[in-house]
Amino acid sequence: MFELHWPAAFALLPLPWLLRWLLPSADRPASALQVSFLRRLQQLEHSSPRSSSNGRARWPAIVIWCLLVFACARPELLGAPLAPSISGRDMMIAVDLSASMEIRDMQLEEQAVDRLSLVKHWLGAFVERRHGDRLGLILFGSKAYVQAPLTYDLDSIALWLDEAFVGLTGRDTAIGDAIGLSIKRLMQQPASSRVMLLITDGANTAGKIAPMQAAQLAAEQGIRIFTIGVGADSAREDGLQGILNGDVDPSIDLDETTLREIAELTGGEYFRARDSASLEAIYQQLDNLEPSLRAGRPSRESIPLYPWPLAAAWLLSLGMALQQVRRQRRVV
């Protein structure tokens, strides 16, 4: 199918005539002052075109201008329409940056690291594997902020995640606000592809929305929430001996009950990340989620045709230039 990409370019067709009408005519000196020899004057008189041929001489210039305008309109030949489908889902990832994420109770390559470092390491690898998905990033502490809207630019998501640090959004934990912000970003997307990944190591201690209230709103919007509770198992001893040794449960603030209820209410699942191996297993399970199919924009294979009128205009211009050179040689 033939199509013009910029048909408005044809509005330029009367431009030369408008310029000729609007601009003043050029002042030319008297020809008698320029011609010194009668013989040459006679030759010029014989070689000058008549009024009838004068109009014919303008036609190549008119055709050249029309060809240039036609090329500017970008003619192209379109093939049959294609309607590809994009396999993927829309997923908002909410990461806790509260003070407790600084606790160094995790192991990464046989070295003790804090919780946020481990989450960033494995979540970065998870983001790189989500080809075809649109991901968004929410960072929350005392408040929740959208660090990245839904985008196919996974490299930027990984970069902004790597630049996050504890305390960036406050040192408390606003789980409900993080869920509410995700709902606002996901509710405009197809219902079958709305997913949220919530990663935290504590309980809700801040924010304006209660976690279960936000989860109820998410369930009404068809948003599935997968929750991940981060924190090592307690290594303390039971009974009086453990108390005397001063052992403290590193995950004592983790509200697993609420995280599990959020996941169950929204049709998601709760995972517990106790170490590096369990976190990697969680991300592998998330990779196995059935992706929804989202239809993309119809596309067509296009073949540009503008080089042809440009080439024709160039050949006509070359012919006119050669003809002018021949005339000058005859006169001389």
Coordinates of all heavy atoms in Angstrom, one line a residue, residues 1-5 7 10 70-71 73-79 300-306 308-309:
M1 N 0.8 -1.2 0.0 CA 0.0 0.0 0.0 C 0.9 1.2 0.0 O 1.8 1.3 0.8 CB -0.9 0.0 1.2 CG -1.9 1.2 1.2 SD -3.0 1.1 2.7 CE -1.8 1.4 4.0
F2 N 0.5 2.2 -0.9 CA 1.3 3.4 -1.0 C 0.8 4.4 0.1 O -0.4 4.5 0.3 CB 1.2 4.0 -2.4 CG 1.9 5.3 -2.6 CD1 3.2 5.4 -2.8 CD2 1.1 6.5 -2.5 CE1 3.9 6.6 -2.9 CE2 1.8 7.7 -2.7 CZ 3.1 7.8 -2.9
E3 N 1.7 5.2 0.7 CA 1.3 6.1 1.7 C 2.3 7.3 1.8 O 3.5 7.1 1.5 CB 1.3 5.4 3.1 CG 0.7 6.3 4.2 CD 0.6 5.6 5.5 OE1 1.7 5.6 6.2 OE2 -0.4 5.1 5.8
L4 N 1.8 8.5 2.1 CA 2.7 9.6 2.3 C 2.8 9.9 3.8 O 1.8 10.0 4.5 CB 2.1 10.9 1.6 CG 2.0 10.8 0.1 CD1 1.3 12.0 -0.4 CD2 3.4 10.7 -0.5
H5 N 4.1 9.9 4.3 CA 4.3 10.0 5.7 C 4.0 11.5 6.2 O 3.5 11.7 7.3 CB 5.7 9.6 6.1 CG 6.0 9.4 7.5 ND1 5.5 8.4 8.2 CD2 6.7 10.2 8.4 CE1 5.9 8.5 9.5 NE2 6.6 9.5 9.6
P7 N 2.1 14.3 4.4 CA 1.4 14.9 3.3 C 1.3 16.4 3.4 O 1.1 17.1 2.4 CB 0.0 14.2 3.4 CG -0.1 13.7 4.8 CD 1.3 13.4 5.2
F10 N 3.0 19.2 0.9 CA 2.5 19.8 -0.3 C 2.0 21.2 -0.2 O 1.8 21.9 -1.2 CB 1.3 18.9 -0.9 CG 1.8 17.6 -1.5 CD1 1.6 16.4 -0.8 CD2 2.5 17.6 -2.7 CE1 2.0 15.2 -1.3 CE2 2.9 16.4 -3.2 CZ 2.7 15.2 -2.6
F70 N 7.5 16.5 -3.4 CA 7.0 15.1 -3.3 C 7.9 14.2 -2.4 O 7.5 13.4 -1.6 CB 6.9 14.5 -4.7 CG 6.3 13.1 -4.7 CD1 5.0 12.9 -4.2 CD2 7.0 12.1 -5.2 CE1 4.5 11.6 -4.2 CE2 6.5 10.8 -5.3 CZ 5.2 10.6 -4.8
A71 N 9.2 14.4 -2.6 CA 10.2 13.7 -1.8 C 10.1 14.1 -0.3 O 10.3 13.3 0.6 CB 11.6 13.9 -2.3
A73 N 7.5 14.9 1.2 CA 6.3 14.2 1.8 C 6.5 12.8 2.2 O 5.6 12.2 2.8 CB 5.2 14.3 0.8
R74 N 7.7 12.3 2.0 CA 8.1 10.9 2.4 C 7.2 9.8 1.9 O 6.5 9.2 2.7 CB 8.2 10.8 3.9 CG 9.3 11.6 4.6 CD 10.6 10.8 4.4 NE 10.6 9.5 4.9 CZ 10.8 9.1 6.2 NH1 11.1 10.0 7.1 NH2 10.8 7.9 6.5
P75 N 7.1 9.6 0.6 CA 6.4 8.5 0.1 C 7.0 7.2 0.5 O 8.2 7.0 0.5 CB 6.4 8.7 -1.4 CG 7.7 9.4 -1.7 CD 7.9 10.3 -0.5
E76 N 6.2 6.2 0.8 CA 6.7 4.9 1.2 C 5.7 3.8 0.8 O 4.5 4.1 0.7 CB 7.0 4.9 2.7 CG 5.8 5.3 3.6 CD 6.2 5.3 5.1 OE1 7.4 5.2 5.3 OE2 5.3 5.5 5.9
L77 N 6.2 2.6 0.7 CA 5.3 1.5 0.3 C 5.2 0.6 1.5 O 6.2 0.1 2.1 CB 6.0 0.7 -0.9 CG 5.1 -0.4 -1.5 CD1 3.9 0.3 -2.2 CD2 6.0 -1.1 -2.6
L78 N 4.0 0.4 2.0 CA 3.7 -0.4 3.2 C 3.3 -1.8 2.9 O 2.6 -2.0 2.0 CB 2.7 0.3 4.1 CG 2.9 1.7 4.5 CD1 1.8 2.3 5.3 CD2 4.2 1.8 5.3
G79 N 3.9 -2.7 3.7 CA 3.5 -4.1 3.5 C 2.2 -4.4 4.3 O 1.5 -3.6 4.8
R300 N 4.1 -2.3 10.3 CA 4.1 -2.7 8.9 C 5.6 -2.5 8.5 O 6.3 -1.6 8.9 CB 3.3 -1.7 8.1 CG 1.8 -1.8 8.3 CD 1.0 -0.8 7.6 NE -0.4 -0.8 7.8 CZ -1.3 -1.4 7.0 NH1 -0.8 -2.0 5.9 NH2 -2.6 -1.4 7.2
E301 N 5.9 -3.3 7.5 CA 7.3 -3.2 6.9 C 7.1 -2.1 5.8 O 6.3 -2.2 4.9 CB 7.7 -4.5 6.2 CG 9.1 -4.4 5.6 CD 9.4 -5.7 4.9 OE1 8.6 -6.6 4.9 OE2 10.5 -5.8 4.4
S302 N 7.9 -1.1 5.9 CA 7.9 0.1 5.0 C 9.1 0.2 4.2 O 10.2 0.0 4.7 CB 7.7 1.4 5.8 OG 8.8 1.6 6.6
I303 N 8.9 0.5 2.9 CA 10.0 0.7 1.9 C 10.0 2.2 1.5 O 9.0 2.6 0.9 CB 9.8 -0.2 0.7 CG1 9.8 -1.7 1.1 CG2 11.0 0.0 -0.3 CD1 9.5 -2.6 0.0
P304 N 11.0 3.0 1.9 CA 11.0 4.4 1.5 C 11.1 4.6 0.0 O 12.0 3.9 -0.6 CB 12.1 5.0 2.3 CG 13.0 3.8 2.6 CD 12.2 2.6 2.7
L305 N 10.4 5.5 -0.5 CA 10.4 5.8 -2.0 C 11.0 7.2 -2.3 O 11.1 7.5 -3.5 CB 9.0 5.6 -2.6 CG 8.3 4.3 -2.4 CD1 6.9 4.3 -3.0 CD2 9.2 3.2 -3.1
Y306 N 11.2 8.0 -1.3 CA 11.7 9.3 -1.5 C 13.0 9.4 -2.3 O 13.2 10.5 -3.0 CB 11.8 10.1 -0.2 CG 12.9 9.7 0.7 CD1 14.2 10.3 0.6 CD2 12.7 8.7 1.7 CE1 15.2 9.9 1.4 CE2 13.7 8.4 2.5 CZ 14.9 8.9 2.4 OH 16.0 8.5 3.2
W308 N 13.7 8.1 -5.1 CA 13.4 8.2 -6.5 C 13.1 9.6 -7.0 O 13.7 10.0 -8.0 CB 12.3 7.2 -6.8 CG 12.7 5.8 -6.6 CD1 12.4 5.0 -5.5 CD2 13.5 5.0 -7.5 NE1 13.0 3.7 -5.6 CE2 13.7 3.7 -6.8 CE3 14.1 5.2 -8.7 CZ2 14.4 2.7 -7.4 CZ3 14.9 4.1 -9.2 CH2 15.0 2.9 -8.6
P309 N 12.2 10.3 -6.4 CA 12.0 11.7 -6.8 C 13.2 12.6 -6.6 O 13.4 13.5 -7.4 CB 10.8 12.2 -6.0 CG 10.7 11.2 -4.9 CD 11.2 9.9 -5.3

